[in-house]
Every structure is written in structure tokens, then in C-alpha cells.
Amino acid sequence: MQHRSVADVMTHEVIRVAPDTGFRGILALLTEFDITAVPVVDGDDRPIGIVSEADLLRTQAAQDDPASLLAEPAAGDGRQAVTAGELMTSPAISTSPGTSVVSAARLMNRHHVKRLPVVDDDGRLVGMVSRSDLLRVFLRDDHSIRSEIVEDVLAQVTGVSPAEIGVEVDQGRVMLSGTIAAPYLVPIVLRLCRSVDGVVSVTDRLECTAD
């Protein structure tokens, strides 16, 4: 049993910009391709940062607003960021195509980012993976989830008989019933079932035949 990899869910055709791409050029690309961020790459197509709508918005927020009744001072040190190299969040936290969707999700969570450039062994950009891409594994159909649990989980655990365990899956929610030989096997089976891509929850209604 293996988790899906980043390569299974990532976007392969990636819009990217150079460090000297201007503010309007970045905004035009975001608008044209209906995306919220672009990676910034160097001359060898290696990601060095990410420019997002949030980065562009910070530039807008730093402008003076004569119409403001409160006349708040502009944020920042007075210098205007106008190119991708100045606007980007750097360094770019990246991943590889072979990384599991679980590891990628943990990487996003640890660094508080919404997307990851995907790079090959030479560090060159080959894709992008977003939070919504990773969440697509939860759209797996219930039949596929059940088949994986029966064939790749229950059938592979020594001491467990798949014929004695009922597996029901409804919208990713798994319910296990029936009998299992030894109590120590229950947490093992539950943990493995929870690790199947697409599983939202696991309900344990198993009974043990041995004390």
C-alpha cells in the first residue's frame, strides 16, 4: 500500500516568471490564467521564490491614500517593490515528484505555504502542487477505497482474515465490523485503514475472539 505521489496530482504546465518581470506583467499572468501565484525562476529554471496575490496586495496596501479620513501612513520603508525578484517570498519551499501527498501536505503545513514548486533531481521546475491538488485524493470513489482496504490492508496483515471483517465505505467514511483474532491487531488495522488515501474517518466495531 502506497500513498499517491505529488506527480499524480500536480500541475505539469506551470506559468513562471523571471526575477525582472514587472508588477503589471505578473498581475496580467495571474488574471489571464486564473491562478493566484507564480514561481520565480532563475536562468536555469530553478525556483528562487513565489509571487502571490498577497505579495501584490502588500504593494497596494503600502501606497498613500489621500482619501483616507484617518490619513494612515503607508506601510514599509518607502521603497516600492516593482519586480518579481523584489516582490517574491523567498526561498521557495519545493518538493519532488516522488514525494507522497502526505509528506507534501506536512511540508505545506510546517512552512505555512499554500503551494509548492515541484523540481526534478537537478532542481529545475517540473510542476506545481497546491493544497487543492493534495485534497483531490479525498475524491476517490468509495469502491476503490474499499478494494484497497480489503486487498492491500486486511489481506496483508498476519493474523487477520479479510473474510471475517466487514468493510463499509460511505463518502470516505470507513466502518469495520466482524471479528478479529487478537486485540493487539485492532490498532494496527485501524492505523493502516486511516492511512489509505481518500479515507476521512474509521469507525471501529470489531470484536475480538481472544482475550
Side-chain angles (χ1 to χ4, degrees), residues 162-180:
E164 296 180 357
I165 297 179
V167 181
E168 297 179 32
V169 184
D170 180 20
Q171 298 186 43
R173 294 170 295 189
V174 177
M175 185 176 71
L176 302 177
S177 60
T179 58
I180 197 166

Side-chain angles (χ1 to χ4, degrees), residues 17-29 51 56 81-85 87:
V17 296
D20 60 354
T21 303
F23 185 103
R24 282 195 175 184
I26 299 167
L27 182 58
L29 288 172
V51 176
L56 301 183
V82 295
T83 66
L87 291 159

Side-chain angles (χ1 to χ4, degrees), residues 105-124:
R106 289 174 178 168
L107 184 62
M108 284 187 188
N109 188 59
R110 184 164 65 249
H111 291 279
H112 306 289
V113 295
K114 298 180 180 180
R115 58 195 66 81
L116 300 169
V118 185
V119 299
D120 61 17
D121 292 339
D122 294 321
R124 292 183 171 85

Side-chain angles (χ1 to χ4, degrees), residues 28-205:
L29 288 172
L30 297 184
T31 302
E32 178 182 355
F33 293 96
D34 193 25
I35 52 180
T36 59
V38 287
V40 184
V41 298
D42 63 16
D44 294 317
D45 207 27
R46 293 185 172 92
I48 58 175
I50 299 285
V51 176
S52 68
E53 290 177 329
D55 296 315
L56 301 183
L57 193 60
R58 276 195 290 272
T59 295
Q60 184 180 31
Q63 293 179 318
D64 290 319
D65 185 7
S68 174
L69 295 176
L70 298 178
E72 294 181 359
D77 56 10
R79 292 179 297 178
Q80 293 183 326
V82 295
T83 66
E86 296 166 338
L87 291 159
M88 69 183 183
T89 298
S90 181
I93 308 300
S94 60
T95 188
S96 65
T99 300
S100 74
V101 292
V102 172
S103 294
R106 289 174 178 168
L107 184 62
M108 284 187 188
N109 188 59
R110 184 164 65 249
H111 291 279
H112 306 289
V113 295
K114 298 180 180 180
R115 58 195 66 81
L116 300 169
V118 185
V119 299
D120 61 17
D121 292 339
D122 294 321
R124 292 183 171 85
L125 186 68
V126 294
M128 284 284 286
V129 65
S130 67
R131 292 187 300 190
S132 61
D133 294 327
L134 298 181
L135 288 171
R136 283 212 305 269
V137 298
F138 289 103
L139 296 177
R140 290 186 72 194
D141 66 272
D142 292 337
H143 177 75
S144 296
I145 294 173
R146 185 184 184 281
S147 295
E148 185 169 344
I149 289 175
V150 173
E151 298 169 11
D152 296 342
V153 173
L154 301 180
Q156 304 302 320
V157 179
T158 302
V160 172
S161 173
E164 296 180 357
I165 297 179
V167 181
E168 297 179 32
V169 184
D170 180 20
Q171 298 186 43
R173 294 170 295 189
V174 177
M175 185 176 71
L176 302 177
S177 60
T179 58
I180 197 166
Y184 78 89
L185 291 171
V186 174
I188 295 174
V189 169
L190 295 179
R191 178 174 56 82
L192 291 174
C193 288
R194 291 190 187 102
S195 69
V196 171
D197 285 338
V199 170
V200 175
S201 66
V202 178
T203 300
D204 171 20
R205 293 186 179 174

